[in-house]
Amino acid sequence: MELWYTEKHSESVNFSLKVKEHLFSGQSEFQKLDILDTYEYGKLMTLDGLVMVTEKDEFVYHDMIVHTPMAVNPDVKNVLVIGGGDGGTVRELMRYNNIEHVDMVEIDKLVCDAAKKYLPTLSCELNNPKVTLLYEDGVKFVKESPDNKYDLIIIDSTDPIGPGEGLFTTEFYTNCHRILTENGILVNQNESVFYEDTQEAALKANSKLKKIFPIVKVYQANIPTYPSGYWLFGFASKKYDPIKDLQADKWNSLGLKTKYYNTDLHVGAFALPSFVKEFF
Ligand code: AG3
């Protein structure tokens, strides 16, 4: 008997992966979490049935969400990660010696526990002493944080349904703006415009950010296991332009080996296809 995992990518499109073994299934007070071992993509974590990470393509997402802002301001010291319980974002952040501290606010402890057990290549830096792990609601956390605290905020969220919904609101982005330093940069996973199902979320996130930050851009990456494979990230900042202020030489001098990101690709990632440009 063959076992297949399927996520509905649109009303009339399904995405399926052939599964070797269903390793774990758990229900927290927030969501249902499953870990599956797949033939092509290695281990896969789903939340409420939707793909969050796979071992094979997570490098694209985590490279793009971390190294893109870090190459614009390589002097970042204090970082806030909202969500990100699998640990992939923190793993990439920990490669920068100048980062002094990361607060990671994940609402669901089950995500970190499952990642620590089943996804060691992602969760390997979650116990780093530079990282404070807080199991709290990110919306509440930013509301209660003091002004000018972080140089970088990374919103490593789910889709805007269920526990991730509040992370796509104007109130949340306003607090993020307030707690960022004057050099502050915010990046988020900004969904996709390819299918209508995620298009509305992508456009709303962008238009809300534009009301709050002077510089707001979207950039793209190919993530095969997310709906349509064409995925967007948002870059919002108080001062830095992601292209004009790209510190390519400085970033390259760090000598980080990255599997997806490089500074040429950084420039290309902000060059949007014509059909996408029309949306933003
Ligand atoms: N965040 C999930 C991105 C959205 C995926 N959506 C979907 N499959 N419908 C990933 C977190 C990785 N650290």
Side-chain angles (χ1 to χ4, degrees):
M1 195 183 69
E2 286 186 357
L3 187 60
W4 287 78
Y5 158 81
T6 296
E7 176 177 338
K8 209 178 177 67
H9 278 185
S10 88
E11 267 321 302
S12 58
V13 178
N14 276 350
F15 172 77
S16 297
L17 295 171
K18 192 173 168 184
V19 173
K20 269 189 207 164
E21 201 184 341
H22 192 169
L23 296 169
F24 175 78
S25 189
Q27 173 76 46
S28 72
E29 64 176 291
F30 304 104
Q31 54 208 344
K32 182 172 185 281
L33 184 154
D34 288 273
I35 306 277
L36 306 164
D37 193 8
T38 70
Y39 283 93
E40 182 67 42
Y41 281 90
K43 283 189 216 121
L44 156 71
M45 179 191 276
T46 67
L47 290 176
D48 289 336
L50 307 178
V51 174
M52 292 297 121
V53 286
T54 78
E55 285 178 322
K56 184 165 179 163
D57 69 354
E58 60 86 8
F59 71 99
V60 181
Y61 180 97
H62 294 115
D63 268 17
M64 291 306 274
I65 209 164
V66 172
H67 303 304
T68 309
M70 288 304 296
V72 175
N73 179 13
D75 297 316
V76 160
K77 290 190 173 56
N78 275 313
V79 186
L80 172 63
V81 177
I82 304 282
D86 53 75
T89 293
V90 160
R91 179 196 65 205
E92 291 308 307
L93 286 168
M94 285 302 102
R95 303 177 68 188
Y96 293 87
N97 293 331
N98 55 290
I99 292 183
E100 289 169 2
H101 194 80
V102 176
D103 283 329
M104 191 181 106
V105 183
E106 165 60 60
I107 198 166
D108 194 349
K109 184 169 180 291
L110 181 61
V111 178
C112 294
D113 290 347
K116 282 181 187 164
K117 181 148 186 215
Y118 296 103
L119 301 168
T121 56
L122 282 109
S123 57
C124 47
E125 295 290 344
L126 284 176
N127 292 327
N128 190 306
K130 283 187 184 178
V131 180
T132 303
L133 244 172
L134 299 140
Y135 298 117
E136 277 179 47
D137 181 2
V139 173
K140 187 163 168 276
F141 183 88
V142 296
K143 199 189 262 175
E144 291 163 2
S145 287
D147 297 1
N148 306 316
K149 188 163 177 211
Y150 299 102
D151 308 304
L152 172 62
I153 298 180
I154 299 182
I155 307 170
D156 185 3
S157 72
T158 59
D159 297 341
I161 32 171
E165 209 177 329
L167 306 179
F168 288 80
T169 61
T170 305
E171 189 207 350
F172 173 70
Y173 294 142
T174 306
N175 278 314
C176 287
H177 181 275
R178 180 182 57 74
I179 67 176
L180 277 169
T181 56
E182 57 183 32
N183 297 332
I185 299 175
L186 175 151
V187 286
N188 67 328
Q189 79 80 1
N190 204 89
E191 302 286 309
S192 176
V193 288
F194 201 86
Y195 295 134
E196 263 175 41
D197 304 55
T198 49
Q199 196 179 90
E200 201 188 315
L203 301 183
K204 275 194 182 158
N206 179 264
S207 70
K208 287 175 187 169
L209 284 168
K210 276 189 180 144
K211 291 201 182 100
I212 301 160
F213 287 85
I215 298 160
V216 179
K217 300 272 154 74
V218 292
Y219 61 102
Q220 62 200 343
N222 295 88
I223 306 180
T225 58
Y226 287 174
S228 84
Y230 178 78
W231 209 251
L232 296 173
F233 296 87
F235 179 104
S237 110
K238 293 194 178 178
K239 185 170 111 180
Y240 293 126
D241 180 278
I243 301 296
K244 285 193 214 111
D245 296 312
L246 169 64
Q247 299 206 47
D249 292 345
K250 188 160 182 186
W251 190 84
N252 286 313
S253 74
L254 298 173
L256 299 181
K257 282 231 173 325
T258 43
K259 195 169 168 188
Y260 192 81
Y261 180 86
N262 59 60
T263 50
D264 291 338
L265 181 130
H266 178 118
V267 178
F270 286 90
L272 302 173
S274 303
F275 85 96
V276 180
K277 260 189 187 171
E278 281 174 19
F279 286 113
F280 298 99

PDB file of all heavy atoms in Angstrom, residues 245-260:
ATOM      1  N   ASP A 245      21.456  50.002  -0.598  1.00  0.00           N
ATOM      2  CA  ASP A 245      22.278  49.865   0.604  1.00  0.00           C
ATOM      3  C   ASP A 245      22.856  48.458   0.795  1.00  0.00           C
ATOM      4  O   ASP A 245      23.401  48.157   1.868  1.00  0.00           O
ATOM      5  CB  ASP A 245      21.460  50.272   1.834  1.00  0.00           C
ATOM      6  CG  ASP A 245      21.087  51.745   1.766  1.00  0.00           C
ATOM      7  OD1 ASP A 245      21.975  52.568   1.487  1.00  0.00           O
ATOM      8  OD2 ASP A 245      19.900  52.079   1.954  1.00  0.00           O
ATOM      9  N   LEU A 246      22.725  47.634  -0.219  1.00  0.00           N
ATOM     10  CA  LEU A 246      23.300  46.279  -0.127  1.00  0.00           C
ATOM     11  C   LEU A 246      24.814  46.381   0.073  1.00  0.00           C
ATOM     12  O   LEU A 246      25.507  47.041  -0.701  1.00  0.00           O
ATOM     13  CB  LEU A 246      22.998  45.493  -1.420  1.00  0.00           C
ATOM     14  CG  LEU A 246      23.737  44.165  -1.592  1.00  0.00           C
ATOM     15  CD1 LEU A 246      23.329  43.167  -0.513  1.00  0.00           C
ATOM     16  CD2 LEU A 246      23.460  43.582  -2.981  1.00  0.00           C
ATOM     17  N   GLN A 247      25.305  45.745   1.130  1.00  0.00           N
ATOM     18  CA  GLN A 247      26.754  45.792   1.398  1.00  0.00           C
ATOM     19  C   GLN A 247      27.381  44.488   0.909  1.00  0.00           C
ATOM     20  O   GLN A 247      27.824  43.653   1.711  1.00  0.00           O
ATOM     21  CB  GLN A 247      26.994  45.995   2.886  1.00  0.00           C
ATOM     22  CG  GLN A 247      26.398  47.308   3.388  1.00  0.00           C
ATOM     23  CD  GLN A 247      27.127  47.810   4.617  1.00  0.00           C
ATOM     24  OE1 GLN A 247      28.367  47.842   4.652  1.00  0.00           O
ATOM     25  NE2 GLN A 247      26.371  48.201   5.624  1.00  0.00           N
ATOM     26  N   ALA A 248      27.414  44.354  -0.410  1.00  0.00           N
ATOM     27  CA  ALA A 248      27.837  43.096  -1.022  1.00  0.00           C
ATOM     28  C   ALA A 248      29.272  42.720  -0.616  1.00  0.00           C
ATOM     29  O   ALA A 248      29.528  41.584  -0.207  1.00  0.00           O
ATOM     30  CB  ALA A 248      27.703  43.179  -2.536  1.00  0.00           C
ATOM     31  N   ASP A 249      30.202  43.685  -0.710  1.00  0.00           N
ATOM     32  CA  ASP A 249      31.600  43.349  -0.401  1.00  0.00           C
ATOM     33  C   ASP A 249      31.755  42.931   1.055  1.00  0.00           C
ATOM     34  O   ASP A 249      32.442  41.965   1.368  1.00  0.00           O
ATOM     35  CB  ASP A 249      32.526  44.543  -0.688  1.00  0.00           C
ATOM     36  CG  ASP A 249      32.594  44.825  -2.191  1.00  0.00           C
ATOM     37  OD1 ASP A 249      32.176  43.932  -2.970  1.00  0.00           O
ATOM     38  OD2 ASP A 249      33.029  45.932  -2.575  1.00  0.00           O
ATOM     39  N   LYS A 250      31.099  43.694   1.911  1.00  0.00           N
ATOM     40  CA  LYS A 250      31.204  43.385   3.341  1.00  0.00           C
ATOM     41  C   LYS A 250      30.618  41.999   3.636  1.00  0.00           C
ATOM     42  O   LYS A 250      31.210  41.196   4.361  1.00  0.00           O
ATOM     43  CB  LYS A 250      30.483  44.463   4.157  1.00  0.00           C
ATOM     44  CG  LYS A 250      30.712  44.328   5.632  1.00  0.00           C
ATOM     45  CD  LYS A 250      30.434  45.599   6.381  1.00  0.00           C
ATOM     46  CE  LYS A 250      30.730  45.381   7.854  1.00  0.00           C
ATOM     47  NZ  LYS A 250      30.362  46.496   8.682  1.00  0.00           N
ATOM     48  N   TRP A 251      29.455  41.718   3.049  1.00  0.00           N
ATOM     49  CA  TRP A 251      28.835  40.408   3.303  1.00  0.00           C
ATOM     50  C   TRP A 251      29.715  39.294   2.739  1.00  0.00           C
ATOM     51  O   TRP A 251      29.949  38.283   3.403  1.00  0.00           O
ATOM     52  CB  TRP A 251      27.414  40.341   2.715  1.00  0.00           C
ATOM     53  CG  TRP A 251      26.704  39.106   3.194  1.00  0.00           C
ATOM     54  CD1 TRP A 251      26.025  38.950   4.372  1.00  0.00           C
ATOM     55  CD2 TRP A 251      26.665  37.832   2.535  1.00  0.00           C
ATOM     56  NE1 TRP A 251      25.557  37.662   4.484  1.00  0.00           N
ATOM     57  CE2 TRP A 251      25.933  36.950   3.367  1.00  0.00           C
ATOM     58  CE3 TRP A 251      27.159  37.351   1.331  1.00  0.00           C
ATOM     59  CZ2 TRP A 251      25.684  35.616   3.033  1.00  0.00           C
ATOM     60  CZ3 TRP A 251      26.923  36.010   1.002  1.00  0.00           C
ATOM     61  CH2 TRP A 251      26.191  35.163   1.850  1.00  0.00           C
ATOM     62  N   ASN A 252      30.225  39.498   1.526  1.00  0.00           N
ATOM     63  CA  ASN A 252      31.066  38.458   0.911  1.00  0.00           C
ATOM     64  C   ASN A 252      32.360  38.224   1.693  1.00  0.00           C
ATOM     65  O   ASN A 252      32.863  37.105   1.746  1.00  0.00           O
ATOM     66  CB  ASN A 252      31.351  38.802  -0.551  1.00  0.00           C
ATOM     67  CG  ASN A 252      30.119  38.561  -1.407  1.00  0.00           C
ATOM     68  OD1 ASN A 252      29.481  37.512  -1.301  1.00  0.00           O
ATOM     69  ND2 ASN A 252      29.740  39.529  -2.219  1.00  0.00           N
ATOM     70  N   SER A 253      32.854  39.295   2.337  1.00  0.00           N
ATOM     71  CA  SER A 253      34.096  39.136   3.104  1.00  0.00           C
ATOM     72  C   SER A 253      33.879  38.262   4.349  1.00  0.00           C
ATOM     73  O   SER A 253      34.842  37.769   4.942  1.00  0.00           O
ATOM     74  CB  SER A 253      34.669  40.497   3.488  1.00  0.00           C
ATOM     75  OG  SER A 253      33.891  41.050   4.530  1.00  0.00           O
ATOM     76  N   LEU A 254      32.637  38.055   4.743  1.00  0.00           N
ATOM     77  CA  LEU A 254      32.384  37.171   5.893  1.00  0.00           C
ATOM     78  C   LEU A 254      32.680  35.709   5.538  1.00  0.00           C
ATOM     79  O   LEU A 254      32.896  34.875   6.424  1.00  0.00           O
ATOM     80  CB  LEU A 254      30.918  37.274   6.353  1.00  0.00           C
ATOM     81  CG  LEU A 254      30.438  38.644   6.859  1.00  0.00           C
ATOM     82  CD1 LEU A 254      28.937  38.613   7.105  1.00  0.00           C
ATOM     83  CD2 LEU A 254      31.185  39.042   8.121  1.00  0.00           C
ATOM     84  N   GLY A 255      32.632  35.418   4.238  1.00  0.00           N
ATOM     85  CA  GLY A 255      32.971  34.064   3.778  1.00  0.00           C
ATOM     86  C   GLY A 255      31.965  32.989   4.174  1.00  0.00           C
ATOM     87  O   GLY A 255      32.331  31.814   4.274  1.00  0.00           O
ATOM     88  N   LEU A 256      30.711  33.364   4.372  1.00  0.00           N
ATOM     89  CA  LEU A 256      29.702  32.351   4.722  1.00  0.00           C
ATOM     90  C   LEU A 256      29.375  31.508   3.493  1.00  0.00           C
ATOM     91  O   LEU A 256      29.182  32.043   2.404  1.00  0.00           O
ATOM     92  CB  LEU A 256      28.403  33.020   5.203  1.00  0.00           C
ATOM     93  CG  LEU A 256      28.461  33.891   6.447  1.00  0.00           C
ATOM     94  CD1 LEU A 256      27.078  34.438   6.761  1.00  0.00           C
ATOM     95  CD2 LEU A 256      29.000  33.115   7.628  1.00  0.00           C
ATOM     96  N   LYS A 257      29.342  30.205   3.659  1.00  0.00           N
ATOM     97  CA  LYS A 257      28.966  29.330   2.542  1.00  0.00           C
ATOM     98  C   LYS A 257      27.451  29.139   2.598  1.00  0.00           C
ATOM     99  O   LYS A 257      26.932  28.584   3.559  1.00  0.00           O
ATOM    100  CB  LYS A 257      29.648  27.969   2.689  1.00  0.00           C
ATOM    101  CG  LYS A 257      31.093  27.961   2.280  1.00  0.00           C
ATOM    102  CD  LYS A 257      31.369  26.811   1.292  1.00  0.00           C
ATOM    103  CE  LYS A 257      32.771  26.836   0.713  1.00  0.00           C
ATOM    104  NZ  LYS A 257      33.355  28.132   0.476  1.00  0.00           N
ATOM    105  N   THR A 258      26.773  29.605   1.564  1.00  0.00           N
ATOM    106  CA  THR A 258      25.316  29.465   1.547  1.00  0.00           C
ATOM    107  C   THR A 258      24.908  28.685   0.303  1.00  0.00           C
ATOM    108  O   THR A 258      25.488  28.862  -0.767  1.00  0.00           O
ATOM    109  CB  THR A 258      24.636  30.851   1.554  1.00  0.00           C
ATOM    110  OG1 THR A 258      25.337  31.705   0.656  1.00  0.00           O
ATOM    111  CG2 THR A 258      24.631  31.475   2.924  1.00  0.00           C
ATOM    112  N   LYS A 259      23.878  27.876   0.456  1.00  0.00           N
ATOM    113  CA  LYS A 259      23.481  26.982  -0.631  1.00  0.00           C
ATOM    114  C   LYS A 259      22.578  27.679  -1.644  1.00  0.00           C
ATOM    115  O   LYS A 259      22.533  27.306  -2.803  1.00  0.00           O
ATOM    116  CB  LYS A 259      22.760  25.777  -0.005  1.00  0.00           C
ATOM    117  CG  LYS A 259      22.599  24.598  -0.912  1.00  0.00           C
ATOM    118  CD  LYS A 259      22.135  23.382  -0.107  1.00  0.00           C
ATOM    119  CE  LYS A 259      21.693  22.272  -1.041  1.00  0.00           C
ATOM    120  NZ  LYS A 259      21.076  21.178  -0.295  1.00  0.00           N
ATOM    121  N   TYR A 260      21.837  28.695  -1.221  1.00  0.00           N
ATOM    122  CA  TYR A 260      20.926  29.400  -2.131  1.00  0.00           C
ATOM    123  C   TYR A 260      21.326  30.872  -2.301  1.00  0.00           C
ATOM    124  O   TYR A 260      21.529  31.362  -3.392  1.00  0.00           O
ATOM    125  CB  TYR A 260      19.484  29.328  -1.600  1.00  0.00           C
ATOM    126  CG  TYR A 260      18.449  29.775  -2.615  1.00  0.00           C
ATOM    127  CD1 TYR A 260      17.998  28.910  -3.610  1.00  0.00           C
ATOM    128  CD2 TYR A 260      17.918  31.070  -2.595  1.00  0.00           C
ATOM    129  CE1 TYR A 260      17.057  29.306  -4.555  1.00  0.00           C
ATOM    130  CE2 TYR A 260      16.978  31.473  -3.539  1.00  0.00           C
ATOM    131  CZ  TYR A 260      16.549  30.588  -4.509  1.00  0.00           C
ATOM    132  OH  TYR A 260      15.622  30.987  -5.443  1.00  0.00           O
TER     133      TYR A 260
END
